[in-house]
Amino acid sequence: MSGSEVQHCVTTPVRRALEAGAVGQQARIQGWVRTKRSSKAVGTFLELNDGSSLRNLQVVVPQSLANYETVVNSLSTGASVSVEGDIVESPAPGQETELRALRLDVVGHAGEYPLAKKRHSFEYLRSMAHLRPRTNTFGAIARVRNEVCRSIHAYFQQRDYLYIQTPIITGIDAEGAGQMFQVTSLDLTNPPLRDAAVDFSLDLFGRPTHLAVSGQLEAEIMASALSHVYTFGPTFRAENSNTSRHLAEFWMVEPEVAFCDLALLMDIAEDFLKVVFSDVLANCMEDMRFFNDRIDNTVLETLEHVVTSDFVRLTYTEAIEILRVSGRDFEFPVEWGHDLQAEHERYLTEEHFKLPVILVDYPASIKAFYMRLNDDDRTVAAMDVLVPKIGEIIGGSQREERLDVLLTRMHAHGLDPEEYWWYLDLRRFGSVPHSGFGLGLERVVHFMTGMQNIRDVIPFPRTPRSADF
Ligand code: 4AD
Ligand code: MG
């Protein structure tokens, strides 16, 4: 049998069975019982969900079924079942179809299901990560997240970018910020020593290595030959920040474009975000309405506003001026040369402009070594895209393509150029102006769904003191 003939599913997804056009079809549905309700006159009603849709399919189990008593008595919330029957028009309000069961098999019993009926807090559900995706909220998150990923790939593929893979284990600190997890094959309880220090020459790679904080520098290598590339993979940051916007492991998409300056990069970033948001609105409306009804009743309005408006563009220096005259009593000082804090970013996007803001030209001293120095010698061609509630959703820049300037910048950041010899070589052999950015996948899903905490938009969050499952 060739691959194209393989039937992946001998069942009908609930999503399809719910469509009016399915009436009259025979179907086999497999899923998990959400609720069970019995009626003397008809039999038993089951609400079945298989993750393909926010809505459940109502299954009517008639008393005439041969194994009715045994099967129905043993069923409870959480049990898995396989049902065959006819899809018919449903007399019940709010659903066009239902399934009349002709055969019902219990695949797995559920016993005392820990998530029965009552609403649970998101914190509690994090401790039940093996059952969490069975809830409405986390099913909807998974579907939206999937659509965001599909849309990201489609966006770049349709525009001739090559999807490239950059290493997860690396010897370099791409951001020069030192927030890295070390990777080693040495025995940490008894490491080999030389001159009273750990002897990393005996480590598997013969040197210290870390989990990548970004794939950017390698993406620059690839863009310096293949022009338009993007990475999309997990990145790791050992920053001990317990905020609602930070994860220690998150997914980042990083396009890198040769022959591209900051102005073009801003256009790309804005267009890209709008396409991704629009795709989710077009293809996940049922789930998005759920978030709007249950989680945050501003998300739909905000997203529709964002996709039809021009993002505001201004310099860091202009932003500092706006914040300074705002009359606001910010917790952190507003001073040229200091990084903007979440409260500042939120003021700009939520109150002052009520729109996403692309901030450029940050002070060189607070940004990474690879960003291109501007003619004023004190700012760099950096770009952060800020959105309401979340703050920074994209961070990017034009890269320093001039060898001498890059060397000076590295020294200023206390980095050893010898460690980055290959990065410097890119500036020796056909150097080109080039630019790129990083978009945090979880920041997108966080923004779009209105969820309170970024930990709840990834199936298995990794945060300080938490790496279960
Ligand atoms: O601004 P960052 O640190 O930029 C880079 O890593 C560049 N190398 C990207 C590039 O130019 N290719 O991170 C980029 C984005 C942020 O804007 C944010 O969306 C996300 O990654 N991000 C995080 N998301 C969740 N948890 C964290 N701890 C994050 N840190 C950054
Ligand atoms: Mg950043």
Side-chain angles (χ1 to χ4, degrees):
M1 193 188 280
S2 82
S4 60
E5 288 165 19
V6 171
Q7 232 187 324
H8 285 235
C9 196
V10 291
T11 60
T12 305
V14 162
R15 181 167 58 89
R16 299 254 178 252
L18 287 166
E19 290 167 3
V23 168
Q25 291 174 13
Q26 285 214 320
R28 182 202 279 174
I29 313 279
Q30 296 178 319
W32 292 266
V33 174
R34 284 286 177 87
T35 60
K36 175 179 88 169
R37 176 169 60 86
S38 290
S39 127
K40 281 236 158 61
V42 186
T44 294
F45 296 95
L46 302 177
E47 292 287 329
L48 270 201
N49 194 287
D50 67 354
S52 63
S53 161
L54 182 67
R55 285 178 298 153
N56 305 319
L57 177 68
Q58 173 162 294
V59 178
V60 186
V61 190
Q63 280 152 348
S64 54
L65 225 63
N67 57 350
Y68 182 82
E69 289 294 333
T70 30
V71 164
V72 161
N73 284 337
S74 69
L75 274 181
S76 57
T77 297
S80 51
V81 295
S82 184
V83 197
E84 288 170 32
D86 299 317
I87 300 174
V88 298
E89 221 173 286
S90 176
Q95 56 193 28
E96 293 182 284
T97 65
E98 62 186 31
L99 185 75
R100 284 283 150 79
L102 298 170
R103 180 184 171 141
L104 173 73
D105 296 299
V106 181
V107 179
H109 294 282
E112 292 243 347
Y113 190 64
L115 300 187
K117 281 261 158 130
K118 82 179 205 331
R119 272 196 178 212
H120 298 280
S121 72
F122 294 136
E123 288 80 2
Y124 175 70
L125 289 173
R126 268 176 237 146
S127 74
M128 305 291 283
H130 59 309
L131 300 176
R132 189 162 80 136
R134 299 248 190 111
T135 62
N136 284 336
T137 304
F138 291 96
I141 296 270
R143 288 183 294 271
V144 167
R145 204 179 148 100
N146 172 69
E147 175 60 19
V148 171
C149 294
R150 191 206 59 73
S151 173
I152 287 170
H153 280 294
Y155 183 87
F156 291 119
Q157 292 294 329
Q158 284 162 10
R159 289 162 182 79
D160 295 321
Y161 286 65
L162 292 184
Y163 173 38
I164 58 156
Q165 290 75 33
T166 51
I168 288 175
I169 301 177
T170 171
I172 51 161
D173 180 357
E175 291 299 303
Q179 294 166 326
M180 299 189 294
F181 289 100
Q182 187 145 3
V183 177
T184 181
S185 63
L186 298 177
D187 178 0
L188 288 180
T189 60
N190 184 25
L193 300 175
R194 193 165 59 180
D195 302 334
V198 175
D199 184 1
F200 284 105
S201 70
L202 297 175
D203 206 344
L204 189 101
F205 297 108
R207 55 166 301 155
T209 50
H210 302 90
L211 293 179
V213 294
S214 158
Q216 178 196 318
L217 304 196
E218 291 91 348
E220 284 186 55
I221 294 182
M222 301 302 272
S224 298
L226 305 165
S227 306
H228 290 60
V229 300
Y230 71 104
T231 70
F232 192 177
T235 44
F236 308 86
R237 304 233 170 142
E239 52 188 333
N240 199 358
S241 46
N242 256 310
T243 78
S244 60
R245 310 182 309 149
H246 289 90
L247 293 162
E249 174 179 304
F250 61 97
W251 285 66
M252 184 155 48
V253 53
E254 295 183 274
E256 190 69 36
V257 187
F259 306 99
C260 172
D261 64 9
L262 188 68
L264 176 56
L265 187 71
M266 284 193 272
D267 290 344
I268 295 171
E270 177 170 346
D271 183 57
F272 169 58
L273 278 179
K274 285 177 175 170
V275 169
V276 171
F277 295 158
S278 305
D279 279 352
V280 174
L281 289 174
N283 299 326
C284 295
M285 204 30 146
E286 189 172 271
D287 292 316
M288 288 306 301
R289 270 199 210 100
F290 171 83
F291 290 116
N292 202 68
D293 290 346
R294 300 291 184 85
I295 304 293
D296 174 350
N297 64 11
T298 65
V299 283
L300 282 181
E301 195 192 329
T302 303
L303 285 169
E304 275 151 15
H305 179 51
V306 164
V307 296
T308 51
S309 314
D310 290 337
F311 292 7
V312 177
R313 299 181 183 194
L314 76 162
T315 65
Y316 166 92
T317 305
E318 288 164 338
I320 291 290
E321 214 31 56
I322 291 171
L323 293 165
R324 223 208 289 272
V325 301
S326 67
R328 274 307 164 91
D329 196 11
F330 292 112
E331 190 187 334
F332 292 90
V334 176
E335 213 173 303
W336 203 96
H338 286 240
D339 212 354
L340 294 184
Q341 301 296 322
E343 55 175 348
H344 307 136
E345 297 177 344
R346 292 189 61 165
Y347 175 79
L348 292 171
T349 53
E350 288 169 35
E351 299 185 45
H352 191 80
F353 292 112
K354 297 189 167 53
L355 269 177
V357 173
I358 308 184
L359 269 190
V360 297
D361 299 340
Y362 282 74
S365 56
I366 59 170
K367 286 292 187 186
F369 69 93
Y370 52 70
M371 297 190 180
R372 191 178 197 279
L373 191 65
N374 287 327
D375 291 342
D376 62 10
D377 270 348
R378 57 183 213 141
T379 62
V380 285
M383 166 194 91
D384 276 9
V385 182
L386 315 177
V387 292
K389 300 215 174 127
I390 306 298
E392 179 189 337
I393 195 165
I394 281 181
S397 70
Q398 183 169 340
R399 320 306 189 188
E400 184 53 75
E401 85 284 9
R402 299 161 297 184
L403 182 61
D404 52 335
V405 185
L406 182 56
L407 280 166
T408 311
R409 292 269 292 142
M410 290 179 88
H411 286 301
H413 276 76
L415 299 171
D416 178 5
E418 270 181 31
E419 293 269 310
Y420 297 82
W421 63 271
W422 46 272
Y423 189 68
L424 295 167
D425 265 5
L426 295 178
R427 278 74 183 164
R428 289 195 175 98
F429 308 122
S431 190
V432 287
H434 61 288
S435 304
F437 63 76
L439 169 75
L441 170 63
E442 289 75 20
R443 294 267 172 101
V444 179
V445 183
H446 193 190
F447 173 61
M448 296 201 75
T449 58
M451 293 294 285
Q452 287 280 319
N453 197 313
I454 197 167
R455 298 168 193 208
D456 292 325
V457 301
I458 183 166
F460 305 101
R462 297 287 176 261
T463 52
R465 311 200 65 76
S466 159
D468 295 335
F469 305 98

